[in-house]
Structures are given as structure tokens and as C-alpha cells.
């Protein structure tokens, strides 16, 4: 049985400075349209939690869902193009 001290070097081999790496920031930037579309959809859904949705609410939610799907499609297509071209966009 190994002690925790023996495994500490494995766990703490790469010190975490609390900041995202450049690659992580780039990934967030690529996904930002999808993130914002999800936020709009959640806002539309939250507004109708405690009441019956009106026709306007239903249209707002439907439009927000379409934006999320469009953002997902765009992100998937962009990822497919990058992977097919060998990483060069």
C-alpha cells in the first residue's frame, strides 16, 4: 500500500496557478456563441417557471432553442473543418 506522500509528486507534478491556459481560453472563445445562446434560452425558460407561458413566451423559447441549435451546428461544422484541414483554420 502506497502512502499519500508517495503519490503527492504524481498529483502535484504540474503546479496549478489558477489561471486558464491559452488553449483553454481559445476553446472558450470558440464556444462563446453557444454559451451565450444557452444563456438566452435559460433566461427565456426561467421567466416562465412560475406561470403559464404566453404565446410571446413560447415564441421567445422557440427562437432561443433555434439559436442554440444553430450555434451548435456552427461549432460542429467549424470543428469538422479544422480537423479535416489538419488543424489549420
Amino acid at each position: 500500500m502506497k502512502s499519500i506522500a508517495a503519490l503527492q509528486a504524481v498529483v502535484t507534478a504540474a503546479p496549478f496557478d489558477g489561471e486558464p491556459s491559452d488553449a483553454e481560453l481559445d476553446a472558450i472563445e470558440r464556444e462563446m456563441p453557444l454559451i451565450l445562446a444557452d444563456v438566452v434560452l435559460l433566461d427565456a425558460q426561467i421567466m416562465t417557471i412560475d406561470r403559464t407561458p404566453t404565446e410571446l413566451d413560447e415564441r421567445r423559447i422557440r427562437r432561443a432553442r433555434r439559436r442554440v441549435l444553430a450555434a451548435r451546428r456552427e461549432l460542429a461544422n467549424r470543428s469538422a473543418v479544422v480537423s479535416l484541414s489538419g488543424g489549420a483554420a
Side-chain angles (χ1 to χ4, degrees):
M1 176 180 218
K2 294 183 179 179
S3 69
I4 293 175
L7 298 175
Q8 184 176 6
V10 175
V11 174
T12 60
F16 179 67
D17 63 356
E19 297 294 324
S21 67
D22 289 340
E24 291 169 330
L25 290 173
D26 289 341
I28 292 169
E29 187 67 30
R30 277 191 310 272
E31 295 176 10
M32 190 54 67
L34 176 58
I35 293 167
L36 295 175
D38 279 331
V39 168
V40 170
L41 176 59
L42 283 172
D43 284 344
Q45 291 172 333
I46 287 170
M47 288 193 311
T48 62
I49 283 178
D50 60 346
R51 62 183 168 89
T52 304
T54 64
E55 185 177 334
L56 181 62
D57 293 329
E58 290 173 359
R59 276 191 267 159
R60 184 178 293 126
I61 291 170
R62 199 169 40 246
R63 191 177 323 119
R65 282 186 182 139
R66 283 195 303 261
R67 285 183 187 157
V68 168
L69 291 174
R72 285 182 184 167
R73 182 183 63 234
E74 179 66 29
L75 184 61
N77 288 342
R78 216 176 321 146
S79 297
V81 168
V82 169
S83 66
L84 289 176
S85 65

